Amino acid sequence: MADESGLEGRLADLASSGQRYAAPQVAEQVRARGDRRRRRKRAARASGGVVMAAALAMGVLSVTRLGPEAVPSAAKPTAAASVSLFVPPTPAPGEEYASELGFVYHAVSLKQNMVQVTVAQVRTGNGVAVPTGVVHKVTLKPETPVEVEHVAGGEARDMRVSELVDRLRTGPQWVFALDYDGEGRVQSLREAHWLTTD
């Protein structure tokens, strides 16, 4: 019996000493976690301030860069607005060219025999060419091949764009398919004789 009570006493001593040594570790862990939380909050506040300052600086720079001249006047539409809408078509995977349909007109001979034309983009609806409102200019090499039919008086044949400057000098009359390569350059024109125009 005396041995059992002595054993109980020793176990009680061990338990109390264990609690004594365990309690400071638990308290230290709690303090360490609290310190980490405080550091994270401070870092978040600091980085949030930096991000906010950067965002404000970018906003000020973009507003400053716009300036009053960058905003187009509602009373005076500019040609640049319609030019910016045009994106040269890109060939699909495995295709050599991508095509754009459009009225080709206002042909002008430039220096070095280059030819500049205006293209008013169209889309097709039931075999009829319908303008999209996108108008842009294209500069072509004089030897750019052109397949024509109605432009040449109803006879299907191949010509060079330099030979068609006089016929394409006036306003929109004929619709062409312009074939663009992967670099966005026009490689050929084909008269879209199968389309009717309004």
Side-chain angles (χ1 to χ4, degrees):
M1 289 291 238
D3 287 337
E4 285 181 18
S5 63
L7 182 62
E8 285 177 13
R10 275 191 235 155
L11 286 174
D13 287 342
L14 281 172
S16 65
S17 70
Q19 286 175 353
R20 239 188 345 234
Y21 291 115
Q25 286 179 349
V26 171
E28 204 154 311
Q29 287 174 351
V30 169
R31 273 194 298 277
R33 272 190 247 131
D35 288 343
R36 283 195 298 268
R37 269 198 305 273
R38 279 191 291 280
R39 281 195 296 271
R40 281 196 299 264
K41 282 182 185 175
R42 276 194 294 259
R45 271 191 236 118
S47 67
V50 169
V51 169
M52 178 65 90
L56 285 173
M58 291 302 290
V60 168
L61 285 175
S62 64
V63 168
T64 305
R65 230 180 324 192
L66 285 176
E69 70 276 358
V71 179
S73 168
K76 293 171 137 185
T78 61
S82 65
V83 171
S84 66
L85 296 175
F86 174 70
V87 176
T90 53
E95 296 290 326
E96 192 173 0
Y97 301 114
S99 295
E100 169 196 25
L101 286 173
F103 284 100
V104 176
Y105 58 101
H106 287 170
V108 177
S109 293
L110 303 175
K111 292 180 183 177
Q112 300 164 347
N113 294 326
M114 299 296 274
V115 176
Q116 185 180 62
V117 295
T118 300
V119 180
Q121 197 176 72
V122 299
R123 60 180 166 75
T124 58
N126 298 327
V128 177
V130 180
T132 64
V134 177
V135 178
H136 61 98
K137 293 190 182 297
V138 176
T139 302
L140 305 167
K141 293 179 182 175
E143 64 273 6
T144 303
V146 184
E147 294 177 15
V148 294
E149 187 169 317
H150 298 305
V151 178
E155 180 188 344
R157 61 187 172 133
D158 293 335
M159 298 181 78
R160 303 282 175 213
V161 75
S162 57
E163 299 175 87
L164 292 170
V165 172
D166 290 336
R167 293 181 194 158
L168 299 176
R169 197 178 296 277
T170 59
Q173 286 182 293
W174 295 288
V175 177
F176 286 86
L178 290 81
D179 298 319
Y180 289 83
D181 64 12
E183 304 287 318
R185 296 175 300 220
V186 176
Q187 296 299 312
S188 63
L189 285 81
R190 295 172 286 120
E191 184 183 351
H193 54 83
W194 63 90
L195 290 176
T196 58
T197 58
D198 289 337

